[in-house]
Amino acid sequence: MRATVINAPYDIEVEEVPDPVVRQPTDAVVRVLRACICGSDLWPYRGEVAQGPRPGQRIGHEFLGVVTETGSEVTGFAPGDLAVAPFMYSDGVCDFCREGVQTSCVHGGGWGGFAQDGGQGEAVRVPYADGTLVKLPAEAASDDRMLASLLTLSDVMGTGHHACVGAGVRAGGTVAVVGDGAVGLCAVLAARRLGAEQIVILGRHTARTDIARSFGATHVVAERGDEAVEAVRELTKGEGAHAVVEAVGTEQSMTTALRITRPGGSVGYVGAPHGSGDGIDLRHLFDRNIGLRGGIAPVRRYLPELLEDVVNGTIDPSPVFDRTIGLDQVAEGYRAMNDREALKVLIAF
C-alpha cells in the first residue's frame, strides 16, 4: 500500500510500504477513507523534535475508514463497519481507561513512527480495536461533509472539548480562547455547546476568526501581549473570563491565558508545550485562586457524546478543513499548512 513517510525535515513523500495485517487477536485493519494533517505534525516537519525525523518514519494520527479484517478476539467490529480512531490507541480495560484517561493506557500508544502504521496511509493496523475504535453510522460513508465532521472527533474537536472541560466551562459563563488554530476553533464550538454566554477568541487571522464567529464566538481580540489582556478585561468588566482555553503551547500564550483569567477561574490547556521555558508565575495562580488543568486530550473518552451531536446536527466542526487533497498531494498539504496558506488539510482517499 501507499503511505506518507517523513525522511528528514521538509522531506515528505508517499512511498510503498507493507500492507497491514492482523498480528494479534485484538487487532483490526482499517482501510482509510479520510485522514488529515495536524498542526503537531508540523513539528517533525520543521525538525522541531528532539530525535528525528529519521528516514522511513511513518506519520499521521487522525483517520477514519472501513474495517476490512478483525482478529479472533475482536467482538465489537466486523468487516464493513465504518469507524473512527482517536489519535492514540488504548486497550479500554486498564484502570486508566476505565477512569477516562485513555491517553495513559498501560498498553496504549500513538500512530506512526516505526512500530505502528501512520494515519496518513491507505490502511492502518489498529491494536486493541474494541478499546480504540468507535463505530460510525454506515450512511456517513457517502456524505463528504459528515465524514469531515466525524474526522475531527479523532483529535481536534475532542481536544477542544477537553480544554473546555479542564477550564470548567459552564452555562452562562464567560470563555476566552487563546489561539485560532483548529483546536482553538473547536474549543469555541465546544464552549457554545456547553452553554457559555460570552466567548472571546484571541486570534489575528480573519479567515479563522470568521469561522470562530460562525462557531459561536461573540468577540474577537486581535491584539497580543499586554494589549490583548487589556482588551479581554474591557470585554469582561475588568474581571477576566471564568474559563480560559490555552490552545497554542508557548510560554507567551500561557502567560496571556493566566492574565485574562478572573479570580476563581480556571485555565484548560491543550496546546502541547513547544519553544518555551518554564515561565509560569505560581504566585499569580495562588493569589487569584486560578485553577490549571489540561494535557493530552483523552478523546476516546469524549467520542461517544460528541459523535451523537455531530450525527444529529447539533455541532458541525467540518469548516476547520479549508483544503482537501489526495494522498499524492500530501507534501503540498504540509507546505500549505506550514506556510499558513491552509488552516487544516483533509486527505481524501
Side-chain angles (χ1 to χ4, degrees):
M1 70 167 190
R2 298 181 305 152
T4 303
V5 300
I6 179 167
N7 294 308
Y10 302 102
D11 183 1
I12 292 282
E13 295 184 7
V14 176
E15 298 181 0
E16 293 288 332
V17 302
D19 291 338
V21 296
V22 168
R23 298 179 189 170
Q24 302 294 331
T26 52
D27 288 351
V29 174
V30 172
R31 175 174 58 84
V32 176
L33 296 180
R34 297 290 186 275
C36 55
I37 302 171
C38 182
S40 63
D41 291 330
L42 298 180
W43 302 344
Y45 179 72
R46 298 169 181 148
E48 296 176 354
V49 290
Q51 298 178 342
R54 292 179 289 158
Q57 183 172 328
R58 303 281 289 281
I59 194 168
H61 55 261
E62 300 160 283
F63 65 94
L64 60 76
V66 177
V67 175
T68 60
E69 185 180 1
T70 60
S72 60
E73 295 182 13
V74 176
T75 61
F77 296 89
D81 286 341
L82 185 66
V84 62
F87 67 82
M88 295 184 73
Y89 61 85
S90 54
D91 64 18
V93 297
C94 76
D95 286 347
F96 294 115
C97 286
R98 289 199 299 268
E99 293 168 5
V101 195
Q102 291 90 338
T103 46
S104 293
C105 175
V106 296
H107 297 118
W111 309 108
F114 294 94
Q116 303 293 338
D117 295 315
Q120 295 165 13
E122 292 180 321
V124 177
R125 180 182 73 90
V126 178
Y128 306 106
D130 283 332
T132 300
L133 296 173
V134 173
K135 192 176 295 186
L136 302 175
E139 57 271 20
S142 59
D143 186 333
D144 287 340
R145 189 177 183 91
M146 179 63 72
L147 284 177
S149 285
L150 294 171
L151 181 59
T152 68
L153 303 183
S154 67
D155 188 346
V156 290
M157 186 63 219
T159 297
H161 178 71
H162 181 59
C164 288
V165 171
V169 173
R170 57 181 175 80
T174 299
V175 180
V177 177
V178 182
D180 60 3
V183 170
L185 297 179
C186 286
V188 169
L189 190 56
R192 187 191 71 182
R193 175 179 176 270
L194 293 170
E197 181 175 326
Q198 184 182 35
I199 305 172
V200 182
I201 186 163
L202 282 69
R204 298 180 296 164
H205 306 90
T206 303
R208 299 182 180 192
T209 55
D210 284 348
I211 295 174
R213 288 188 184 277
S214 73
F215 279 1
T218 57
H219 300 85
V220 173
V221 170
E223 294 85 354
R224 300 183 71 178
D226 292 342
E227 293 182 349
V229 173
E230 290 305 313
V232 173
R233 290 192 175 280
E234 184 176 344
L235 290 169
T236 56
K237 303 177 182 178
E239 298 171 347
H242 295 102
V244 176
V245 168
E246 192 288 310
V248 181
T250 64
E251 185 175 319
Q252 181 187 44
S253 62
M254 180 60 82
T255 298
T256 297
L258 294 173
R259 291 179 65 196
I260 62 177
T261 306
R262 66 185 283 140
S266 297
V267 174
Y269 66 98
V270 291
H274 62 284
S276 64
D278 183 11
I280 294 178
D281 182 355
L282 293 180
R283 188 76 202 189
H284 180 82
L285 274 70
F286 182 84
D287 288 347
R288 297 168 65 84
N289 285 283
I290 293 174
L292 185 63
R293 185 178 179 88
I296 304 173
V299 298
R300 180 61 180 81
R301 169 184 173 183
Y302 306 119
L303 251 164
E305 62 176 291
L306 295 176
L307 170 60
E308 181 179 355
D309 278 5
V310 167
V311 171
N312 66 27
T314 300
I315 59 173
D316 176 12
S318 64
V320 299
F321 295 110
D322 59 348
R323 185 171 300 192
T324 299
I325 61 172
L327 183 59
D328 290 334
Q329 301 167 295
V330 70
E332 170 60 16
Y334 271 83
R335 186 209 61 77
M337 283 185 61
N338 185 63
D339 293 348
R340 291 188 175 273
E341 294 178 7
L343 167 61
K344 190 168 180 66
V345 173
L346 184 147
I347 306 168
F349 292 79

